[in-house]
Amino acid sequence: MEQIMNQNWDLASLYPDETMSNKLIEFRNELDMKVETLSEDLKHLNRSSGIITLSKLVEIIQRTQYVQNGSEEFDDLLICIYAQNTNNTEVIGLLDHSTVIKTKLQSFQLELNLTLGNLSDDLWAELLCLTEIEPISFFLLECRNKGKNQLPLKMERLINSLSINGIKGWEQQHEQMLTQLRIPLKMDGETKDVSIGQALNEAIYSKNHDAALAIKQICEKNADLFASVLNRIAGFRLTIYEQRGWDNLLKELCLQNRIMDETLHTMITSIKQHKELIQSYIQRKIELSEIKNPSWYDLESPYFTVAVKVPYSDAVSLIIEQFQTFSDSLGKFAEEAFEANWIETENRPGKAEGGFCASLPLSKQSRIFLTYRQNYQDVITIAHELGHAYHNYILHNEPAFAQQKGTSLAETASTFMENLVVDAVIKQSTSKEEKLALLEMKISNGLKYVGTIPNMFKFEQEFYEKRKTNIVTTEEINTLISKVENELYDGLIEDLAVHKWMYISHFYNAEKAFYNIPYTIGYLFSNGIYEKLKKSDNGLEQLDELLRSSGRMTVEQLAERYLGEDATKATFWDSSLQPLKDAIEEYLYLTEDIKINK
C-alpha cells in the first residue's frame, strides 16, 4: 500500500444507485412496512382456530430474519454517517426513526416469543426437526423460554412503546448532551472549546493538568443534568424488573450475555484475588513518576513513551503482517479490508470520538471508525476493530438469528487480534525503553478490563440498589464512585475521576443492562482462547468454528466445546488472567533498577 497519512471509509458504495439520503428514507419505509406486515401475519396465524400452521410459522421466522438484518444495517449505517460528521442534523431524525423500527420489531419479537412459548411439546419437537430451523434452534429456544416467562403481551408491548420516549429517549438525550459538552482548553496559544474525548486525550497523553482541571470544572457544572438522566434510565429499568418479578438485578445481564450468574461471580472473585498485583503495578508507576499527589490521569498517562510516531501506512503493514503470522487467510482478510476502504481514520474536526466496528449484514460488510493519531495505541485499536470485522465476516454467512451474540462473546475475536499485534510489537522492540512503553500499554489496556470495568460494575450495582428507594443525588453518585475507586487503589490515587459516570456512555445504554462488565468477560474469555489456539497447528480453523458458534452457545458451552474448560471454575479465569500477570511481572522486573536508581 502506498504511503498515506490516513484513510476515509467508503459508505457510498453500499448504495450506489441513488443518493444516500433518498436510499435511507426508502430503506426506512421498507423496514417499517415489513415489520407491520409480519405483525399482522403472526396475529392472523395465532387466530387460526387455535391451530398453528407450521409451514406458515417457519415462513414468518425466515422473513423476520431479513428484517432483523435490515434493521441492524440501517441503524449501524446511520451511526456511521453521524460519527463521521456530528453536525449532520438530518441523520438525527433518521436515528429516531430507526429507534421506532427497532421498538416495533421488539414488540413483534414479544409476540413471536409468546407464539413459540405456547407451542405444544410435540409441535415444538416437529419444528426443531426441520432442516432450515436447526441453525437457529438455540435462538428459538431462548425465545420460547422468554415467551413462557414474559408478562402478558399487552404489558410487554406497552413497555416497548413507552420506551421510545422513556429509557431510549433518555439514552439519546445523554448522547446529545455528551456530544455538546465542550471543554475550554488553551492550545497553540489560544483557547479552544474541545469535546470531552479530546480533553481526556489531552489530559492523559499530554499530561495536561489544566485539561484535567477544565474537565472537572465543566463536569461539576453539568453534573446535576447528567445525574437526572442516569436516574431516569435506571428508574425505568427497575420498574420493568419489578413488573416482571425479577429480584436479581443481574438477570437481564446474564440472559443477554448467555452466561450463568455463578460463572459471572466466579470471574469477579478471581479478579479480586489478583488485586495486590494490580496495586503493585500502580505503586511502581507512582514511584517512577515521583509524583507526590498522583491523580487519575497520572495513572492513565504512560510513563514510558515510544519516541517515533507510527505513520498510518506502517500501521497497515504491521497489522497485515501479524495477522498473516497466525494465518494467511486472516492476513488476506485484513489486506482486503484496507484496500476496500472499510476504515475511517482521518484526524479532523467534527468527527465523533472513540472507535467502533459497524456490522452491515445485508451487505455482508463492516465499517471501522476511529481517529488515527500515529501512536501504537491506535494501531492496537485498528487491530481490535478488525477482529470485530472478522467476526462479522464469519457470521454474515449464517442465518440472522444465529448471528445474535452477547457483548461478551462479541469481544472474542477483537481481543484475540489485539493480542496478536501487541505481543508481536513487544517481542520486536529494539530497546528497553520501547519494550517498557509497549508493556505499559498492554497492561493499561488490561487493567481497564480487570480493574476499571469491574469497579464500574460494582458502582453500578450499588447505584441501582440505592435507586430502588429514591433518586440518587449527584453528591451520592460521586461518593459511590469514590468509594469503589478507593477500594481498588487503596489510597494510592488521591485525585479521583469522580465524574467518569457522566462520560462513560455504557451506563446510559437503553438495551444492554450493566453494559460495562461484558467487556471484562469477553477480554478474559478471549485471553483463554488466545493462550490455547496460538500454539495450535490449526488455530484459525478452531477460532472460526468458535466464532461461528458464538450465536448458538453460552459462554460455558463454548469453553467446554472448544477449550475443554469449565467456565464455572476459578481455574479457567485464573489462567485467562495469566497473560496480564506475566506482563506486569516483566514490567516490575525491568523497572526495578530504575526505581532503585531514582
Side-chain angles (χ1 to χ4, degrees):
M1 181 177 284
E2 65 183 55
Q3 290 293 315
I4 52 176
M5 295 301 294
N6 56 63
Q7 185 170 14
N8 297 118
W9 59 16
D10 176 15
L11 297 181
S13 66
L14 296 167
Y15 300 100
D17 297 329
E18 300 186 52
T19 65
M20 182 71 78
S21 179
N22 289 342
K23 185 60 182 178
L24 287 172
I25 293 171
E26 183 182 309
F27 196 4
R28 176 201 68 191
N29 294 339
E30 177 196 359
L31 289 172
D32 199 42
M33 180 188 69
K34 286 183 180 297
V35 174
E36 293 285 353
T37 304
L38 277 171
S39 184
E40 287 301 316
D41 287 352
L42 188 58
K43 288 176 185 175
H44 179 72
L45 180 67
N46 285 323
R47 289 195 298 261
S48 304
S49 304
I51 301 172
I52 296 292
T53 306
L54 208 56
S55 60
K56 183 63 177 176
L57 177 59
V58 171
E59 188 260 337
I60 289 173
I61 289 171
Q62 300 291 47
R63 283 160 53 204
T64 302
Q65 293 189 85
Y66 172 83
V67 178
Q68 177 73 47
N69 275 344
S71 175
E72 181 177 346
E73 177 143 336
F74 182 61
D75 197 60
D76 273 22
L77 187 58
L78 292 175
I79 290 170
C80 288
I81 294 169
Y82 179 73
Q84 70 181 5
N85 178 15
T86 57
N87 296 316
N88 186 337
T89 56
E90 182 181 6
V91 76
I92 295 174
L94 286 169
L95 280 166
D96 286 337
H97 284 295
S98 180
T99 300
V100 172
I101 290 170
K102 286 192 294 182
T103 302
K104 287 182 178 180
L105 187 56
Q106 287 166 357
S107 290
F108 166 78
Q109 184 69 56
L110 291 169
E111 188 157 355
L112 181 60
N113 293 350
L114 189 61
T115 300
L116 294 171
N118 288 337
L119 288 180
S120 67
D121 290 344
D122 288 343
L123 203 55
W124 171 250
E126 189 178 342
L127 178 68
L128 293 185
C129 288
L130 298 175
T131 303
E132 60 266 44
I133 294 300
E134 190 278 330
I136 58 174
S137 58
F138 180 85
F139 181 85
L140 294 183
L141 178 58
E142 288 183 320
C143 295
R144 179 172 166 85
N145 289 334
K146 289 175 184 176
K148 290 181 176 181
N149 294 288
Q150 69 187 34
L151 290 167
L153 187 57
K154 286 186 178 180
M155 289 188 67
E156 292 285 1
R157 278 182 176 167
L158 180 62
I159 289 170
N160 264 312
S161 296
L162 292 174
S163 71
I164 295 175
N165 292 307
I167 190 169
K168 293 176 182 177
W170 286 115
E171 179 189 22
Q172 289 183 1
Q173 177 67 24
H174 172 262
E175 184 178 345
Q176 290 181 29
M177 287 165 55
L178 193 61
T179 300
Q180 294 168 8
L181 205 63
R182 285 293 177 265
I183 314 297
L185 284 187
K186 184 168 285 188
M187 302 171 69
D188 302 323
E190 60 177 311
T191 300
K192 300 179 180 179
D193 288 339
V194 302
S195 69
I196 184 72
Q198 290 171 306
L200 287 168
N201 188 75
E202 185 70 16
I204 294 168
Y205 294 104
S206 298
K207 302 182 180 180
N208 187 333
H209 173 76
D210 290 338
L213 182 60
I215 292 170
K216 182 179 180 180
Q217 290 172 342
I218 293 298
C219 282
E220 285 177 348
K221 184 177 179 180
N222 292 274
D224 287 345
L225 286 174
F226 280 79
S228 177
V229 174
L230 185 61
N231 271 280
R232 296 308 170 195
I233 286 176
F236 195 101
R237 180 168 278 132
L238 286 169
T239 300
I240 295 173
Y241 290 178
E242 183 181 3
Q243 292 300 313
R244 289 177 179 160
W246 292 0
D247 295 327
N248 181 2
L249 271 178
L250 306 183
K251 183 179 178 70
E252 186 178 22
L253 162 69
C254 291
L255 289 173
Q256 288 177 339
N257 288 277
R258 293 169 176 164
I259 189 170
M260 294 191 299
D261 194 276
E262 175 190 358
T263 305
L264 180 61
H265 287 293
T266 299
M267 181 195 76
I268 295 295
T269 300
S270 179
I271 291 171
K272 287 180 179 177
Q273 290 175 346
H274 295 88
K275 178 181 172 181
E276 289 185 4
L277 186 63
I278 294 172
Q279 290 177 343
S280 66
Y281 167 75
I282 296 169
Q283 180 66 50
R284 178 59 53 85
K285 278 201 71 173
I286 292 171
E287 290 170 348
L288 293 173
S289 302
E290 297 182 302
I291 299 172
K292 293 183 179 179
N293 301 305
S295 299
W296 61 269
Y297 55 89
D298 294 315
L299 175 61
E300 297 193 40
S301 297
Y303 177 75
F304 298 98
T305 56
V306 180
V308 295
K309 291 187 176 182
V310 187
Y312 183 66
S313 298
D314 290 354
V316 172
S317 299
L318 174 63
I319 290 169
I320 292 173
E321 179 184 346
Q322 295 313 315
F323 278 30
Q324 282 177 335
T325 61
F326 187 71
S327 160
D328 287 339
S329 59
L330 186 60
K332 184 178 179 182
F333 168 81
E335 190 171 11
E336 289 176 350
F338 285 116
E339 290 178 352
N341 293 321
W342 281 14
I343 306 171
E344 166 63 45
T345 67
E346 187 179 6
N347 187 359
R348 66 175 186 272
K351 285 179 66 173
E353 287 297 319
F356 63 82
C357 177
S359 172
L360 306 165
L362 290 184
S363 304
K364 296 187 183 300
Q365 296 184 24
S366 297
R367 290 295 184 271
I368 291 168
F369 179 89
L370 76 155
T371 297
Y372 189 75
R373 296 183 173 93
Q374 299 191 351
N375 57 58
Y376 274 113
Q377 181 59 62
D378 290 338
V379 177
I380 302 308
T381 298
I382 295 173
H384 181 98
E385 300 304 338
L386 274 171
H388 283 301
Y390 186 73
H391 200 163
N392 294 340
Y393 166 75
I394 295 294
L395 287 178
H396 281 165
N397 291 316
E398 298 296 306
F401 285 165
Q403 295 181 32
Q404 306 307 305
K405 56 195 182 299
T407 305
S408 56
L409 294 178
E411 293 302 311
T412 303
S414 56
T415 306
F416 189 96
M417 305 311 170
E418 180 180 323
N419 279 328
L420 269 182
V421 174
V422 73
D423 283 355
V425 172
I426 291 172
K427 188 175 181 180
Q428 294 172 7
S429 58
T430 56
S431 69
K432 181 178 179 180
E433 183 89 6
E434 184 180 78
K435 186 170 189 176
L436 282 166
L438 295 168
L439 274 171
E440 196 172 69
M441 182 181 67
K442 178 176 182 175
I443 294 166
S444 294
N445 286 342
L447 290 187
K448 290 176 187 175
Y449 296 114
V450 303
T452 302
I453 290 177
N455 243 29
M456 293 304 95
F457 180 51
K458 185 174 182 181
F459 154 75
E460 199 169 10
Q461 289 177 84
E462 294 185 6
F463 169 78
Y464 268 76
E465 288 294 343
K466 288 183 74 69
R467 182 64 182 86
K468 284 179 180 179
T469 56
N470 211 338
I471 293 290
V472 188
T473 67
T474 300
E475 184 179 354
E476 289 173 323
I477 295 173
N478 290 344
T479 299
L480 286 176
I481 284 280
S482 298
K483 174 176 171 288
V484 297
E485 292 287 87
N486 278 318
E487 287 174 2
L488 173 65
Y489 300 128
D490 198 24
L492 292 171
I493 305 296
E494 295 187 13
D495 182 17
L496 301 168
V498 296
H499 295 101
K500 62 170 64 176
W501 57 271
M502 292 173 60
Y503 48 80
I504 296 177
S505 296
H506 295 70
F507 291 136
Y508 299 83
N509 192 283
E511 295 181 356
K512 296 173 182 175
F514 297 93
Y515 191 24
N516 287 286
I517 199 63
Y519 287 87
T520 297
I521 302 169
Y523 168 77
L524 290 177
F525 187 68
S526 184
N527 273 353
I529 296 168
Y530 180 70
E531 287 300 299
K532 286 264 185 181
L533 300 191
K534 71 178 181 179
K535 304 168 187 174
S536 174
D537 293 334
N538 61 337
L540 186 67
E541 291 178 20
Q542 291 175 272
L543 178 64
D544 285 356
E545 283 304 309
L546 187 148
L547 297 177
R548 193 171 289 113
S549 298
S550 60
R552 306 181 190 181
M553 293 184 180
T554 64
V555 169
E556 294 82 8
Q557 289 169 338
L558 287 167
E560 182 179 2
R561 172 76 64 86
Y562 296 103
L563 304 177
E565 297 282 357
D566 185 349
T568 65
K569 304 299 183 185
T571 50
F572 172 71
W573 301 105
D574 288 343
S575 63
S576 296
L577 281 161
Q578 193 60 46
L580 179 60
K581 290 168 60 181
D582 290 343
I584 292 176
E585 286 168 357
E586 184 174 9
Y587 181 89
L588 294 175
Y589 172 76
L590 291 174
T591 55
E592 180 63 28
D593 59 333
I594 300 174
K595 183 199 75 169
I596 293 171
N597 291 334
K598 278 183 174 292

